[in-house]
Amino acid sequence: MSFRTTPSVDYVEDVSPGSGTLPPRAWYASSDARSLSLNGSWRFRLSATAGAEDDSFAEEGYDAGNWAEVTVPGHWVLQGDGAFGSPIYTNHLYPFPVDPPYVPTENPTGDHLRVFDLPSDWPSDGGAVLRFDGVESCARVWLNGTELGEFKGSRLAHEFTVGELLKPGSNVLAVRVHQWSAGSYLEDQDQWWLPGIFRDVTLLHRPSGGAGDFFVHASYDHTTGEGTLRVDSDVDGRVSVPALDIDVATGEPVTVAVQPWTAETPRLYDGVLVTDGERVPLRIGFRTVVLEDGLIKVNGRAVLFKGVNRHEWHPEHGRALDLETMREDVLLMKRHNLNAVRTSHYPPHPAFLDLCDEYGLWVIDECDLETHGFTEQDWRDNPVDDDRWTPALLDRAARMVERDKNHPSIVFWSLGNEAGTGRGLTAMAEWIHGRDPERLVHYEGDWNCRDTDVYSRMYAFHDEVEKIGQRLDGGTHKRRELPFIQCEYAHAMGNGPGGLADYQELFEKYERLQGAFVWEWIDHGVRHAELGYAYGGDFGEELHDGNFVCDGLVFPDRTPSPGLIEYKKVIEPVRIEGDSANGIVHVTNKQDFADLSALAFEWSCQVDGETVESGSLAVPALAPGESAEVKLPEPPADGRGGERQWTVRALLADDTAWAAKGHVVAWGQFAVGARPLPSFPATDRPVPDRGRITLGPAGFDARTGALLTIGGVEVGATPRLDVWRAPTDNDDGAEWQTDTRYGTLWRTLGLHRMRHRLVSVEAGDDALTVRTRVAPAAREVGLDTVYRWTSDGERLRLTVSVTPQGDWTVPLPRLGVRFGLAEADRVEWFGGGPGEAYPDTGKASMVGRWQSTVDGLQTPYVRPQENGARADVRWVELGGLRIEGDPEFWFTARRWTTEQLDAARHRTDLTAGDTVWVNLDHGQHGIGSQSCGPGPLPQYFLKAEPAEFSFVFSTTR
């Protein structure tokens, strides 16, 4: 005799995709059929295990009055102030034992209850469908006490037939959601684990004769300028497109002259599918995607992807995004010159794809599949190579393709991410190729390109990318004949990524290289009352990957990071280069499809960073790839002998759907003649007096040579050599790149705790000279440093000479001087700006006159690190001082020390002190993107070698 004491939960660990759901079909936002949103406040009960409670809560009349409430769409762990558990972040490690398909008994399970009234005018004919657009990770559903079924596939849509179960008046919808299930093994993406009903829940009336599934085929023949439309539909009907004078039966092709859809020219035609019972609006874009001549071509032309990987994220709501947040993402992408997005690593909310169609972005739509954690056991038991899991994989592929197939923005279907290789992936690729031969198939893990139409890699270093561009990379014959993209590159974690311009130069040089997608779009910081933004480990996770989840081009609040500003400049669609000797500007249209008729050009001339004249510039409407030389006006005369430069901008000539008239699309800047060098005649001599030395406007400590005052400005800490910076995420590097993790190597050498030994203080006839040795404890390497102070009576000049001693095997983080000011707030400078820049992240740094507060100079990376350096600075004024450089320099100013910045783990750890710490740097080490990709290229290394640099100090009071 046997008996069961707890409800059956076998379905949770079943490898099947579920039961009771309808076949997948095309998604559309609206039709004239009725619908009822079931979003809003739901009753909620959390249990610690899958079988802790029976199913009685699903019965009519169940009293859930003492239950808590949660908002749907939403994740329960982001609601209830911690009462419902916490988020978990891992990059690839499963946060449960790897024992497929089993999951822990400790399986947080959320019972959701929604009582809703069916509108009194709800149609009585036909049927109804209950639609879930996203539930993590396994859901079991009841309506009015009747079980409908259960499903897995968190980022995919699932529907149930419910017409016969609906009642006039009150209805009870019950959903049991399990955090862990067999499906979790297929969803090991680099993101927070967040259970819940996080996308829309909708009741859809399905009228008699209503539309079923349909497939819009809209191709474009670039040789004739004609498009061919055919809409295949499960339910017969007619398709009309008024602007094209089309009115045809479903399944019937029609060819007419059209304007094609591209990401640059996203022309959509409004149409309608009419069946006996329903009218469905269509937005049709005509375009043809082919693999031809070893290239990805759309409408007959090869495309260059300037893309980004996008996780869905909101700092308060997780992956539950509203339409305006999605629109904000798309607008930011367009305004920063991006033309492509990979939906890493799952199909997004379908409304996001509508926006990509509308505003124009190429899309790689990726399946909800990743089994990355199986790398820990050399891919043993990997589900994608286990036939038992193949039905689930095919179900996920079908639900992606069928839902999204009518979006012209989608040019690739991606099988998933970091799931190894196996028969299941081959089955997915074969099914997709058969279902939709009008698009290409992508999967990065298929290095031999057995199943895919493109050779895709992630984080290939620059030298390897160049070999691939030259077709010298080897591999199978098929692979060598395919185009190449980097589906992930330039890891945008913390300060960086560096090396973008060097990659882009390769992409534009070799036609086989068809672009790349930065990892990734947004920092996944969780808003936190005490920490500002929380990341992995801040919720007490047993396993976590720290701030690796904060690796985006925008901060959690969607403020663009310096990385996004840099990317915009690197990929700008117009190249503007100057020839000042001949008064000419070279303009090149780098777009694939659009001419330059949408842009207006203007010139301005600056003297010492201030604009003195400006005007419009007549640039022809160049076709894609075309260039022109345009004559500039005569530069204005300048009797002051200042530094002159041209700035040429390309602006939107009119308002567009994504930005207003005057939005800057591209710019170029170049000098008018050579920069005049400052002169400094040393006339004063040091004067000792009662323990002090006076030299021009400055006072020094006679014993140590420390600078005390300049004029009336108190120097809180004397300028002295500084080589340390708070390591960036990219300095610290990835754990598997042990030989070049410079943050670790710098600490091992002791560069974060350098000691300064005073050798001598010499008051000569024309200079005060202070000799020191700067070296780390326990090491024999050092930097012999000489500070030479001179004055012309009103100004003070510091010349620093540095001579390395010993065997320096690593580059320096920085090379310059650091000092403290007792008082400083406003900052003005002539040099690069307005934002930060480093040797390999400085393309977006525009030379000009800039102003800020000290606090405004800081870049708010979620994990504090080196930030805020302004490059190519000629002079800076702050705290009553003016500091000029010879040559140009980097400057940084902050209200905490580098050591305090280094120790901080969140921005709230940083507390402003009484001293403003100023760095004047002769050199900075490059940034790179070694938090997951390559480090800085050799030309951006700051080598330990002899150097000399000077600064001139004067007062502004």
Side-chain angles (χ1 to χ4, degrees), residues 25-349:
R25 65 186 178 109
W27 187 92
Y28 47 92
S30 63
S31 76
D32 63 350
R34 288 290 298 275
S35 65
L36 178 66
S37 172
L38 299 180
N39 296 344
S41 180
W42 290 50
R43 290 291 181 176
F44 177 75
R45 175 181 65 187
L46 181 64
S47 303
T49 65
E53 302 286 349
D54 60 28
D55 305 339
S56 61
F57 82 103
E59 298 173 1
E60 296 179 84
Y62 183 89
D63 183 5
N66 63 341
W67 285 22
E69 294 187 28
V70 295
T71 298
V72 171
H75 306 277
W76 71 68
V77 293
L78 296 181
Q79 304 183 58
D81 294 325
F84 306 141
S86 300
I88 299 170
Y89 168 60
T90 60
N91 168 30
H92 78 278
L93 296 174
Y94 288 105
F96 48 79
V98 180
D99 183 23
Y102 305 110
V103 295
T105 300
E106 296 80 18
N107 187 357
T109 295
D111 289 333
H112 297 68
L113 202 61
R114 176 78 153 86
V115 178
F116 65 93
D117 289 333
L118 194 69
S120 59
D121 60 347
W122 187 264
S124 58
D125 70 306
V129 164
L130 179 65
R131 182 182 186 94
F132 294 87
D133 281 309
V135 183
E136 183 173 333
S137 74
C138 174
R140 187 179 177 191
V141 185
W142 298 261
L143 180 63
N144 293 328
T146 298
E147 182 173 353
L148 305 180
E150 93 299 322
F151 61 86
K152 308 176 189 76
S154 299
R155 269 67 71 175
L156 300 162
H158 296 83
E159 293 181 327
F160 297 96
T161 298
V162 297
E164 295 180 354
L165 300 177
L166 290 173
K167 301 187 306 180
S170 180
N171 290 263
V172 179
L173 175 59
V175 185
R176 173 164 286 169
V177 180
H178 307 283
Q179 175 158 19
W180 310 122
S181 69
S184 301
Y185 284 99
L186 304 180
E187 296 171 5
D188 189 26
Q189 295 100 338
D190 176 10
Q191 61 181 345
W192 294 95
W193 299 86
L194 298 172
I197 306 173
F198 67 95
R199 287 186 186 158
D200 306 291
V201 182
T202 311
L203 182 67
L204 302 168
H205 175 237
R206 302 311 304 138
S208 299
D213 188 25
F214 59 91
F215 197 161
V216 177
H217 302 271
S219 62
Y220 177 72
D221 186 336
H222 65 279
T223 63
T224 65
E226 294 178 323
T228 299
L229 175 67
R230 187 186 83 246
V231 178
D232 295 333
S233 176
D234 288 352
V235 177
D236 291 341
R238 296 194 68 80
V239 176
S240 63
V241 185
L244 297 175
D245 199 25
I246 289 176
D247 185 357
V248 295
T250 54
E252 180 181 335
V254 58
T255 300
V256 295
V258 299
Q259 297 176 26
W261 188 98
T262 75
E264 296 167 8
T265 57
R267 180 64 165 94
L268 292 173
Y269 291 91
D270 290 323
V272 61
L273 167 63
V274 180
T275 66
D276 287 344
E278 189 174 12
R279 294 175 58 89
V280 180
L282 304 177
R283 303 211 76 192
I284 302 167
F286 290 87
R287 57 104 187 95
T288 295
V289 184
V290 297
L291 185 64
E292 183 179 84
D293 302 324
L295 298 172
I296 304 158
K297 292 185 179 181
V298 179
N299 301 339
R301 296 185 182 179
V303 296
L304 184 62
F305 297 114
K306 304 168 184 177
V308 70
N309 288 272
R310 174 186 176 270
H311 269 298
E312 294 182 303
W313 185 252
H314 188 282
E316 296 172 356
H317 309 303
R319 286 187 287 280
L321 299 189
D322 60 16
L323 179 62
E324 287 313 305
T325 299
M326 291 184 264
R327 188 186 307 275
E328 185 178 358
D329 278 348
V330 171
L331 292 178
L332 279 169
M333 291 176 187
K334 293 291 291 186
R335 290 168 185 165
H336 289 86
N337 293 332
L338 280 78
N339 71 0
V341 61
R342 175 182 176 224
T343 69
S344 54
H345 297 294
Y346 41 83
H349 191 291

Side-chain angles (χ1 to χ4, degrees), residues 335-413:
R335 290 168 185 165
H336 289 86
N337 293 332
L338 280 78
N339 71 0
V341 61
R342 175 182 176 224
T343 69
S344 54
H345 297 294
Y346 41 83
H349 191 291
F352 178 78
L353 298 173
D354 284 342
L355 295 169
C356 294
D357 295 341
E358 177 182 352
Y359 292 102
L361 288 169
W362 306 116
V363 174
I364 297 179
D365 196 5
E366 193 147 272
C367 195
D368 189 10
L369 172 63
E370 181 167 334
T371 64
H372 199 177
F374 284 90
T375 58
E376 297 298 310
Q377 54 204 60
D378 297 324
W379 297 107
R380 187 172 58 258
D381 297 327
N382 185 8
V384 306
D385 200 31
D386 183 334
D387 291 340
R388 295 175 301 168
W389 294 81
T390 299
L393 302 181
L394 290 172
D395 179 77
R396 289 173 184 248
R399 290 189 182 278
M400 170 183 68
V401 172
E402 302 295 6
R403 191 198 75 169
D404 297 342
K405 59 182 176 282
N406 294 326
H407 291 282
S409 57
I410 298 173
V411 292
F412 271 102
W413 301 115

Side-chain angles (χ1 to χ4, degrees), residues 641-643 674-680 797 884-888:
E643 179 180 352
R675 176 194 169 197
L677 297 177
S679 62
F680 190 90
R797 182 185 184 101
E884 300 173 76
D886 182 13
E888 295 94 343

Side-chain angles (χ1 to χ4, degrees), residues 331-332 334-336 359 568 598-600 650-665:
L331 292 178
L332 279 169
K334 293 291 291 186
R335 290 168 185 165
H336 289 86
Y359 292 102
K568 175 186 177 181
L599 300 179
L651 317 169
L652 288 181
D654 296 292
D655 290 347
T656 69
W658 49 269
K661 176 181 178 180
H663 168 78
V664 178
V665 173

